[in-house]
Amino acid sequence: MLSLVKELMAFLAATVEQRGLAVTGTVVEGRTTRRLIVELCRGSEISLEAEFGFHIQRSGELVVTWTTRFRWPKAEEMLRDLRPPSPYGPDVPEIRKAQTQLYPIASLCGVNDHKSDHVRFYPPEPDAVRRHVASVVNTLLQKVVPDFHPYCDVDVFSKAAMKPMAESRLEMAETAVAASLVAAGKRREFESWREACRNGFVGGGRLRLAVDYRERYMLAVESRLPD
């Protein structure tokens, strides 16, 4: 099975490169999972990427996953460097290791749904898997990139990040929104967002954090705003 996954990874890499996309990374997780990261489009600071995953199950199934998310190193580094101690448990090595990582600033709502982005193949027939991943690449190029390429602009992304969850096309933690506004140098918008969070006007349905933890994060992030 692992040899099949390696073959499928090579096929996917060749497919996206033929379509003018760049493979920006691969991830190996033991003998059961391989991931391929593809950059779909980028602006001056923000990029949109897709991550494909091939997961070998004990049952003999092969699960093929994909997800789409935005990367903004400036905002992500701010979140990592200013992160307060975790409120969810002791400071164990696993938590410390996780806190050194950079995480996507946002994922896409309405694109990453479990009906389409987790497909199981049993038994895994190579041609069927190839057709599936080629179809996903086509969907990304024909539907996702045209819709979300504008979000790679800092001003467009910042404005979209502040929308109420019911209207937003981005899935973001409240602190990620704050870091995005600070990274964009938008003091007035940051102060408005922070006040709305404090008053409970925004954040419902988002990735919510403990109030005290969020407040410490907000104060730390605010220190990076230009005078």
Side-chain angles (χ1 to χ4, degrees), residues 82-93:
L82 301 177
R83 181 182 290 117
S86 173
Y88 300 118
D91 187 21
V92 297

Side-chain angles (χ1 to χ4, degrees), residues 101-119:
Q101 306 298 311
L102 292 180
Y103 296 97
I105 198 68
S107 59
L108 299 185
C109 297
V111 174
N112 307 317
D113 63 88
H114 288 283
K115 294 180 181 178
S116 65
D117 65 7
H118 288 64
V119 178

Side-chain angles (χ1 to χ4, degrees), residues 1 4 8 59-63 120-129:
M1 179 78 80
L4 171 60
L8 293 170
S59 63
E61 284 184 318
L62 178 65
V63 180
R120 297 176 178 274
F121 294 88
Y122 183 76
E125 203 283 313
D127 286 341
V129 182

Side-chain angles (χ1 to χ4, degrees), residues 17-118:
E17 289 170 354
Q18 288 170 3
R19 304 299 300 272
L21 302 176
V23 175
T24 57
T26 57
V27 179
V28 176
E29 298 177 12
R31 295 184 58 83
T32 60
T33 295
R34 297 290 187 275
R35 302 181 191 274
L36 190 78
I37 302 169
V38 179
E39 184 177 275
L40 300 176
C41 53
R42 70 163 36 250
S44 60
E45 298 185 38
I46 303 172
S47 62
L48 175 62
E49 68 180 25
E51 181 186 273
F52 292 82
F54 298 88
H55 312 271
I56 301 170
Q57 307 297 297
R58 290 182 178 179
S59 63
E61 284 184 318
L62 178 65
V63 180
V64 179
T65 63
W66 61 276
T67 185
T68 44
R69 65 269 182 106
F70 283 98
R71 304 305 306 256
W72 189 354
K74 183 177 180 180
E76 294 169 16
E77 289 167 5
M78 194 179 302
L79 284 172
R80 178 196 62 192
D81 297 342
L82 301 177
R83 181 182 290 117
S86 173
Y88 300 118
D91 187 21
V92 297
E94 291 78 6
I95 291 178
R96 289 198 298 271
K97 181 179 179 181
Q99 289 178 339
T100 66
Q101 306 298 311
L102 292 180
Y103 296 97
I105 198 68
S107 59
L108 299 185
C109 297
V111 174
N112 307 317
D113 63 88
H114 288 283
K115 294 180 181 178
S116 65
D117 65 7
H118 288 64

Side-chain angles (χ1 to χ4, degrees), residues 163-166 174 193 196-197 200-208 214:
K163 287 187 176 181
M165 192 61 192
E174 296 156 353
W193 174 260
C197 285
F201 296 142
V202 297
R206 292 180 182 270
L207 304 177
R208 307 199 69 173
R214 183 188 65 196

